[in-house]
Amino acid sequence: MRFIAAAILLIGIAACQSSTQQASGEKGDTTVLQAPYATVFYDSLQLALESYYSLTEGLTQANITYIDRYGAELKQHLDSLPLSSLQMDSGRLGNVRNQVTSMSAELSGLVGEKTIDEKRAAFDMISGLLFDLVKITGVKGKTIYRQYCPMALKDAGGYWLSNSSKKINPYFGNDMLGCVEVTDSLRFN
């Protein structure tokens, strides 16, 4: 039985590595984007991102205590983002508010979930919303990497954000580092 389980794991790793090798690598270009809003907003967003990266690490370690702690902390930082300091048209500001509200609701759900798989599914939603927020507002002086594992979430694939191109995997931990590819990067002044 162990032999069969090991064989299935090896087949999965090989399939994932094949998928990664077919990808062209980092798809983000070297264009530096602008982060034109108030420093107070970016300072607050940076605190939220630090909590997000800690949440990612908790998921990588499958540590429910860390996941819940940093999920709640991230929610608190998002809820206190000074969105009124964003000088943008009302349509875009409304979009930003909706994204932050949706992330906050997903984080409440993440903390309330009982299993690691349920927490990882909520994390995928949060990661997508956070990436969209960063694309709109920017992050002053930072590069954000969007990473992907095609085998995550029962082969539906899962994304997350990182502050480096270092391979981590919040969906499978350190067991599936070959299943990680950087799909995009955003570099801001």
Side-chain angles (χ1 to χ4, degrees):
M1 193 66 171
R2 286 186 202 182
F3 176 75
I4 293 171
I8 291 171
L9 180 62
L10 287 174
I11 290 169
I13 291 170
C16 190
Q17 286 176 339
S18 173
S19 170
T20 301
Q21 289 169 354
Q22 291 172 1
S24 62
E26 264 185 55
K27 294 180 179 136
D29 60 28
T30 58
T31 303
V32 177
L33 304 169
Q34 296 301 311
Y37 302 110
T39 301
V40 66
F41 173 78
Y42 291 119
D43 290 347
S44 186
L45 182 59
Q46 185 57 41
L47 291 173
L49 284 168
E50 289 170 12
S51 295
Y52 173 86
Y53 298 139
S54 294
L55 172 61
T56 304
E57 183 62 32
L59 286 158
T60 301
Q61 297 173 10
N63 185 323
I64 300 276
T65 302
Y66 284 170
I67 294 166
D68 289 348
R69 174 183 169 194
Y70 291 112
E73 187 177 287
L74 175 56
K75 181 185 181 323
Q76 179 183 6
H77 287 305
L78 288 171
D79 289 346
S80 65
L81 279 175
L83 299 179
S84 60
S85 69
L86 295 173
Q87 299 296 316
M88 60 176 59
D89 66 72
S90 61
R92 286 183 65 184
L93 185 58
N95 186 23
V96 168
R97 285 188 197 285
N98 288 340
Q99 288 173 318
V100 170
T101 300
S102 294
M103 277 188 282
S104 183
E106 285 293 332
L107 283 160
S108 292
L110 179 143
V111 171
E113 298 294 358
K114 300 298 180 210
T115 70
I116 189 75
D117 289 337
E118 292 169 328
K119 290 179 183 292
R120 285 176 169 149
F123 175 75
D124 184 58
M125 296 290 293
I126 294 159
S127 296
L129 290 164
L130 186 56
F131 185 71
D132 290 343
L133 175 68
V134 168
K135 284 193 315 188
I136 292 170
T137 64
V139 181
K140 200 165 264 323
K142 304 291 181 185
T143 300
I144 304 292
Y145 298 90
R146 189 173 191 210
Q147 298 186 355
Y148 177 71
C149 176
M151 294 178 65
L153 305 171
K154 298 180 181 176
D155 294 328
Y159 289 93
W160 66 96
L161 307 181
S162 178
N163 58 355
S164 77
S165 59
K166 175 185 170 194
K167 292 183 176 187
I168 59 169
N169 193 329
Y171 297 103
F172 292 109
N174 292 326
D175 296 334
M176 296 290 282
L177 293 180
C179 190
V180 177
E181 60 185 87
V182 175
T183 62
D184 204 354
S185 62
L186 302 172
R187 196 168 130 218
F188 296 94
N189 271 344

